[in-house]
Amino acid sequence: MLRSLVGSEMCIRDSHDSDGTAVVIQEGGMLPIITAMKTHPSSAAVQIRAVRAIDELIRQNKDNALLLILEGGVHPLFQPAAYVSSAPLRGELYRLVQSDCRPVLRTLLAVRSCRQTELNVRLALLYLCDSSDLIVSGIFSSLHDILCITSLLNDELPETRAEGARSILQLLQSTESPISFTPPVIPKACNSPQNFEAFVNDDELSDVTFEIESKTYHAHRIVLKASTASDVFGAMLSCSMREAQPGALIPIEGMRYNIFCELMEFVYTGRVSISPESDAAELMLAADQFLVTKLQVHCVQVLAKSLSTENVWNTLKIAHQCNLAAEMGEPRSPGDMLKDACICYLIQNMASVIDTQEFMDQRHILSKMIAHKVWSVLPKPD
């Protein structure tokens, strides 16, 4: 007796029925079965009967395995409701993609004629094969291949984004170096061994005054012009600028007084104690304003260690705002370092961040940044 899998859309006989396969072919074939599995992912009855039908179709014609892959029918076999019953079928699919189907799949990936088809093939291979083998064999051999997977993070549907996160993490299993941020080396003090600590905010010999939040800060032209921490102060105090006039009060806008004090402490001594940690974000922007690159490196260390699902978004915004170039001999700027720390954190915590509104608002740019980071750590085929 025929039993309906999804109403009148498709009928499947029990697998022991000798006419079962013929009925499946006559009433829709492989595509309705895949649709049924995706539509009813938690129904064990639907999943078990669909697995039986797929198995019969592939036994009759091996090309149906290729159709299953191209139409995105592999990942439903790994869902909880189908996982146990589909074990033999998954084994057969693995054997086929290693032999009969491999040439066709490689050709389809090389042609890239259809984005969805390419995505379905890559996802199927990630489910069925070891990710290390896929890297070695050239299935994932370019940034484009990684972008194909991370594009799933752009989807409106949570389950699609979750599929993208799972696939990214599976790809990363092929590398011996897990995604992690390496803190930058803290530079040495920028001035002489004695520094100018005794002159910090000292009014006795001060010949230049800054005004921040209606408070004054006493500084010294010779120290600011001699400091290797920043060229901005030297330019500010040059004879051609209004601020260079004797007795001039130099206003500093858009900065809190205690942040300016910490900035000046670093300019005078080459050292800084960032407390509380919440000041690190403001201090990094202040250092960007006055081109104090080495202070930004200190801030990157503090901010990277304190990342959380709540503050990673603001930290990433700060990283984008910092425009300082890299120091001579350094491959990355402090802003780039901080971006890297944020992206590493997002990859390590994808399950808890991909459904947040902050991620959704930035998902198109974030998916590309994640792809670039993943590609940078994956082993490259010879």
Side-chain angles (χ1 to χ4, degrees), residues 317-336:
K317 180 180 178 181
I318 290 167
H320 283 297
Q321 289 178 285
C322 293
N323 299 313
L324 281 179
E327 283 281 286
M328 185 70 68
E330 290 291 333
R332 299 180 300 168
S333 70
D336 290 334

Side-chain angles (χ1 to χ4, degrees), residues 182-319:
T182 302
V185 176
I186 293 294
K188 296 180 180 179
C190 55
N191 291 310
S192 64
Q194 292 79 25
N195 298 301
F196 302 103
E197 187 170 3
F199 301 100
V200 173
N201 201 14
D202 178 54
D203 63 346
E204 184 175 351
L205 298 175
S206 172
D207 55 1
V208 60
T209 305
F210 295 94
E211 184 178 47
I212 315 97
E213 294 186 320
S214 301
K215 300 176 184 178
T216 56
Y217 188 96
H218 304 285
H220 310 80
R221 294 172 186 271
I222 189 170
V223 175
L224 296 180
K225 296 187 76 170
S227 173
T228 59
S230 170
D231 294 330
V232 171
F233 289 111
M236 184 183 292
L237 299 173
S238 67
C239 59
S240 61
M241 298 189 69
R242 177 178 60 83
E243 290 85 349
Q245 303 307 311
L249 188 65
I250 304 175
I252 303 295
E253 304 292 343
M255 190 180 302
R256 291 193 294 130
Y257 180 77
N258 71 303
I259 295 298
F260 187 77
C261 290
E262 291 181 343
L263 172 71
M264 294 299 284
E265 178 187 349
F266 186 83
V267 170
Y268 271 66
T269 70
R271 303 187 304 272
V272 67
S273 175
I274 304 175
S275 179
E277 290 184 355
S278 58
D279 284 353
E282 290 183 73
L283 190 55
M284 184 154 184
L285 292 175
D288 185 71
Q289 179 179 337
F290 287 93
L291 306 184
V292 189
T293 308
K294 290 183 174 65
L295 176 56
Q296 282 200 311
V297 175
H298 285 264
C299 296
V300 169
Q301 275 213 338
V302 174
L303 291 169
K305 289 179 181 178
S306 59
L307 285 174
S308 68
T309 52
E310 289 75 28
N311 67 24
V312 65
W313 313 109
N314 186 58
T315 305
L316 188 58
K317 180 180 178 181
I318 290 167

Side-chain angles (χ1 to χ4, degrees), residues 16 33 67 85 92 114 129 142 187 218 220 249 281 342 360:
H16 62 265
I33 301 175
L67 180 61
S85 62
E92 175 63 10
C114 174
C129 306
S142 70
H218 304 285
H220 310 80
L249 188 65
C342 292
M360 292 297 292

